[in-house]
């Protein structure tokens, strides 16, 4: 049976790992707009390295928590204009 002290050390270790990962990340807030300054809802924002993502809301706003030195991909599939 694992002693209480060992369980505390394991919990502390995992807490330190999570805090280290958070300190190297930032929250990015933004708004996706068209050329004529209209908000674009439904844009998919993703980070390939962490496999995380977000989608812009009805006003084109989004928030994504990502590592500092990462690249974000923006994509939107729409129906073609005729």
């Amino acid at each position: 049976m694992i002693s209480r002290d060992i369980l505390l050390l394991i919990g502390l270790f995992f807490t330190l790992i999570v805090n280290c990962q958070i300190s190297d990340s930032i929250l990015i807030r933004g708004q996706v707009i068209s050329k004529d300054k209209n908000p674009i809802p439904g844009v998919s924002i993703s980070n390939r390295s962490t496999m995380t993502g977000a989608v812009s809301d009805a006003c084109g706003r989004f928030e994504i928590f990502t590592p500092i030195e990462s690249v974000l991909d923006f994509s939107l599939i729409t129906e073609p204009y005729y």
Side-chain angles (χ1 to χ4, degrees):
M1 188 166 186
I2 299 177
S3 72
R4 184 175 180 214
D5 294 334
I6 292 175
L7 285 175
L8 286 172
L9 287 174
I10 291 171
L12 178 63
F13 176 72
F14 284 118
T15 303
L16 290 174
I17 289 174
V18 171
N19 285 335
C20 289
Q21 291 175 352
I22 290 173
S23 66
D24 292 341
S25 299
I26 58 172
L27 176 65
I28 296 178
R29 291 181 182 148
Q31 184 178 27
V32 185
I33 57 172
S34 64
K35 289 180 185 179
D36 53 354
K37 309 269 193 239
N38 292 322
I40 306 175
V43 175
S44 174
I45 301 101
S46 62
N47 183 334
R48 290 184 196 168
S49 62
T50 61
M51 302 300 290
T52 58
V55 177
S56 63
D57 65 11
C59 297
R61 293 180 297 233
F62 68 91
E63 290 184 354
I64 187 169
F65 197 69
T66 186
I68 293 172
E69 293 184 13
S70 61
V71 176
L72 297 178
D73 294 322
F74 292 79
S75 62
L76 177 66
I77 298 175
T78 61
E79 294 183 25
Y81 293 103
Y82 295 105

